[in-house]
Amino acid sequence: MDQGSGASERMNTTVDDRVWRTSVPIRFSHCDPAGIVYFARYFDILNGVVEDWFGEALGIDYHEMIGPRRIGLGFVSAGADFAKPGFMGDRLDFSVLVERIGRSSLTLKISATRSSEPVLQARLVMVTTSLETHTSVALPEDLRAAVERYQETCQ
């Protein structure tokens, strides 16, 4: 599945030790009949990585934001470059960097590697919305402060 377009060469997978990481096992449910991660399932995996990043790196309860606080955390843009296929039985290491903090959005760069080999690099733009009015709202102050601290730590 190497794209031949240089996708793996374009990916910078050098990750500083201060960047939050998590390891995700690739399961049968992630894969197509050939045992390769179906590309659309990566976006489900990426959302799980973001949920874990909220709690573990930012100290913000993702589920509390959506539930009691009624702040939506949807993606308005999602893209990925796939350098190598992921296979059932792999354990992929994901890292999260903050590219940009906007008024009501966060741009995240998420990289996945297998034994330091680039597998995927995604760029996700998350927007905060009111789950009552379904319109964008400013990033909550506690979220903004936590993301700014994380971004400073990673630089």
Side-chain angles (χ1 to χ4, degrees):
M1 185 190 264
D2 189 36
Q3 294 178 335
S5 64
S8 61
E9 290 84 18
R10 288 192 313 265
M11 291 186 187
N12 179 2
T13 57
T14 305
V15 179
D16 189 289
D17 288 338
R18 298 170 290 186
V19 173
W20 180 84
R21 292 179 183 77
T22 191
S23 182
V24 176
I26 299 303
R27 303 179 187 283
F28 174 78
S29 64
H30 297 136
C31 298
D32 63 18
I36 298 170
V37 178
Y38 175 57
F39 76 95
R41 291 290 291 153
Y42 270 119
F43 291 99
D44 185 45
I45 294 168
L46 288 165
N47 192 74
V49 167
V50 170
E51 286 186 45
D52 293 346
W53 174 71
F54 260 70
E56 296 174 18
L58 302 180
I60 303 281
D61 188 325
Y62 187 93
H63 302 96
E64 182 181 304
M65 291 285 283
I66 292 171
R69 292 178 67 176
R70 305 296 294 152
I71 301 292
L73 301 168
F75 296 105
V76 295
S77 178
D81 289 321
F82 304 95
K84 299 284 182 185
F87 298 102
M88 183 171 44
D90 280 350
R91 183 165 285 278
L92 299 183
D93 297 313
F94 288 81
S95 60
V96 178
L97 287 171
V98 177
E99 259 187 21
R100 182 180 174 280
I101 304 169
R103 182 193 78 80
S104 61
S105 66
L106 300 173
T107 303
L108 306 175
K109 184 173 116 180
I110 302 176
S111 299
T113 59
R114 176 183 43 239
S115 301
S116 301
E117 174 186 47
V119 173
L120 118 95
Q121 187 164 291
R123 185 173 180 271
L124 305 173
V125 180
M126 172 185 283
V127 66
T128 51
T129 62
S130 162
L131 291 178
E132 306 305 326
T133 64
H134 301 287
T135 58
S136 68
V137 295
L139 291 169
E141 284 306 313
D142 59 335
L143 177 57
R144 177 178 293 282
V147 173
E148 287 173 349
R149 278 191 305 273
Y150 179 80
Q151 188 178 42
E152 287 173 19
T153 298
C154 293
Q155 292 179 355

